[in-house]
Amino acid sequence: MSGSLIARLAAVVGAAHVLTDPRDTAPFATDWRKRYFGKPLAVVRPATTAEVAAVVRLCVEARAAVVPQGGNTGLCGGATPDASGEQVVVSLARLNRVRALDPVNSTITVEAGCVLANLQRAADEADRLFPLSLAAEGSCEIGGNLSTNAGGVQVLRYGNTRDLVLGLEVVLPSGEVWDGLRGLRKDNTGYDLKQLFIGAEGTLGIITAAVLKLFPKPRAQATAIAALRTPRDALRLLEQVQAHCGDRLTAFELFSALCIALVRKHFNVPVPFETAHPQYALLELSDTHAGEGLVRLLESTLADAIESGIALDAVIATSGAQAKQLWALRENISEAQAAEGPNIKHDISIPISRIGEFIETTDARLAAAFPACGW
Ligand SMILES: Cc1cc2nc3c(=O)[nH]c(=O)nc-3n(C[C@H](O)[C@H](O)[C@H](O)COP(=O)(O)OP(=O)(O)OC[C@H]3O[C@@H](n4cnc5c(N)ncnc54)[C@H](O)[C@@H]3O)c2cc1C
């Protein structure tokens, strides 16, 4: 049965796009953190929505489970097949075209396998911003971002991936194509079905394309890192920056001294303070108006924060290169943790106002239960 399924899959996508040799399937059979190892029956690489639909129909007929896979950067094993040798990985990597860009509607229609960085570039070339941004953007694909409802570093201002979507095209488990590829800016029809597929990790269907919102491109950015005593102080800083800067605040990322130490150790990224501090917040302001005003606004906001005792110190990037270095402190955290050894991933969501209390309580409990663990 498996032989005939493989032959039928090859008839749909071409033999070169049905991988069965373990040397070829290995990269698809394990996750980014190398925590899970599976054994797929085959890895199939369709290039069109019609091919995805035909592949799903064949797998359903053969009762072979389907595991959709995008860039395989997910951190909880959802894209890894099990070890039964019976599951078919459907890689969306070849379904990677930008189908349309509508500058007036400010939307882009892309296929699921479009790598996030390529999507950002296509928007940029049209003088627009696609704001989803995360450290895995060079490999992760928009279908994976949608299926994990990824957050990224600008979630504060633009929301989760869910908030960036106007329409979807999905291959259902029946092999039918659900065409919800609408780009309506005002859509007050009921039952927002597309939202069911977002964050569903492929359990309800395979996303093959999406209509996404674009935004005006920022003309000015100001980036800074603030040193802080506690996560509670970070919340006070956030409140103060929001009060002074409004929705020009596009990123606010809090991380501990331990994260910085790991990034320094494994990536040798320079830290712009002479002494270590318990906590750090990386801030970015963005504005569609060009000019120096944004840097001055950030300077005065952080000076106030230091004067009022909320922040211990702060450094504002004076060049694009320095801003990149500050971001490298944040963006290398996951990889530095992976290089250090086994670590437990978590992606928690709680009201912003309770983050300080949550971190303090959790740190204290972890230290009591596992005195040797870092936090
Ligand atoms: C260094 C690093 C930094 C990260 N930073 C962040 C971050 O800041 N914020 C954040 O939210 N996440 C972050 N992540 C995790 C993030 O969720 C993933 O990187 C990304 O969204 C997954 O995309 P992918 O294409 O790699 O999906 P995959 O890993 O391939 O798949 C993820 C899940 O989606 C399913 N899937 C994939 N494509 C489809 C499709 N077309 N249709 C249906 N189901 C599909 C898979 O079956 C799986 O369940 C980070 C990961 C890394 C490695």
Side-chain angles (χ1 to χ4, degrees):
M1 183 63 185
S2 66
S4 76
L5 174 61
I6 287 164
R8 294 172 80 194
L9 292 170
V12 171
V13 298
H17 300 297
V18 181
L19 314 178
T20 52
D21 185 323
R23 282 168 301 187
D24 298 329
T25 58
F28 303 86
T30 185
D31 67 315
W32 188 83
R33 290 195 299 151
K34 308 272 182 284
R35 289 286 296 272
Y36 308 100
F37 294 90
K39 192 170 160 261
L41 173 69
V43 176
V44 188
R45 305 191 305 150
T48 63
T49 300
E51 286 185 7
V52 175
V55 164
V56 168
R57 282 195 298 271
L58 289 176
C59 290
V60 169
E61 246 177 77
R63 303 201 59 75
V66 166
V67 181
Q69 193 175 102
N72 202 13
T73 68
L75 299 174
C76 45
T80 311
D82 69 15
S84 64
E86 292 172 359
Q87 300 190 328
V88 174
V89 172
V90 176
S91 163
L92 280 303
R94 292 177 66 226
L95 211 77
N96 61 1
R97 288 175 311 139
V98 173
R99 287 192 191 165
L101 192 147
D102 181 342
V104 179
N105 200 36
S106 252
T107 50
I108 188 166
T109 306
V110 290
E111 293 182 341
C114 197
V115 170
L116 177 57
N118 294 343
L119 162 50
Q120 293 165 343
R121 200 168 308 120
D124 187 68
E125 283 165 6
D127 204 26
R128 297 287 185 281
L129 171 76
F130 182 65
L132 180 64
S133 172
L134 42 118
E137 64 198 21
S139 326
C140 64
E141 298 170 9
I142 190 66
N145 303 141
L146 288 159
S147 301
T148 56
N149 189 23
V153 293
Q154 305 208 72
V155 73
L156 197 64
R157 162 86 180 271
Y158 297 99
N160 272 65
T161 308
R162 183 184 294 290
D163 301 300
L164 304 173
V165 184
L166 291 174
L168 285 187
E169 178 188 84
V170 182
V171 172
L172 303 174
S174 60
E176 290 163 286
V177 178
W178 179 71
D179 183 359
L181 266 192
R182 300 197 293 187
L184 298 182
R185 285 291 177 170
K186 171 179 174 286
D187 183 353
N188 53 6
T189 55
Y191 305 134
D192 194 354
L193 291 181
K194 67 177 180 296
Q195 294 296 349
L196 284 178
F197 299 101
I198 299 172
E201 300 240 2
T203 52
L204 297 179
I206 301 185
I207 297 172
T208 46
V211 182
L212 303 163
K213 296 178 193 171
L214 300 178
F215 294 82
K217 200 160 100 180
R219 307 283 167 206
Q221 266 175 334
T223 311
I225 187 164
L228 303 154
R229 265 182 220 92
T230 64
R232 283 183 203 259
D233 284 342
L235 294 187
R236 292 168 66 205
L237 178 64
L238 174 64
E239 210 183 337
Q240 190 158 335
V241 178
Q242 281 177 325
H244 285 214
C245 309
D247 68 2
R248 277 169 288 204
L249 179 66
T250 42
F252 189 99
E253 298 275 316
L254 172 66
F255 37 84
S256 69
L258 180 68
C259 294
I260 289 267
L262 290 181
V263 171
R264 218 177 159 164
K265 176 174 162 191
H266 294 286
F267 291 92
N268 203 20
V269 179
V271 181
F273 299 109
E274 275 169 19
T275 52
H277 298 285
Q279 301 285 335
Y280 301 88
L282 179 71
L283 304 89
E284 193 156 88
L285 303 186
S286 308
D287 205 332
T288 47
H289 295 286
E292 291 302 307
L294 209 57
V295 173
R296 283 200 294 275
L297 178 64
L298 190 53
E299 265 168 11
S300 67
T301 306
L302 290 173
D304 283 356
I306 293 172
E307 210 166 291
S308 56
I310 295 175
L312 298 168
D313 201 353
V315 171
I316 298 181
T318 52
S319 64
Q322 204 189 352
K324 272 201 181 125
Q325 265 183 3
L326 295 185
W327 271 109
L329 289 170
R330 160 66 185 96
E331 288 181 341
N332 286 307
I333 292 174
S334 293
E335 299 217 33
Q337 287 171 332
E340 187 67 10
N343 57 89
I344 299 170
K345 278 288 153 203
H346 51 271
D347 194 347
I348 54 149
S349 292
I350 46 176
I352 290 173
S353 52
R354 301 199 59 195
I355 285 176
E357 176 195 335
F358 175 84
I359 295 176
E360 280 167 21
T361 314
T362 313
D363 279 355
R365 287 191 190 169
L366 281 173
F370 310 100
C373 91
W375 63 96

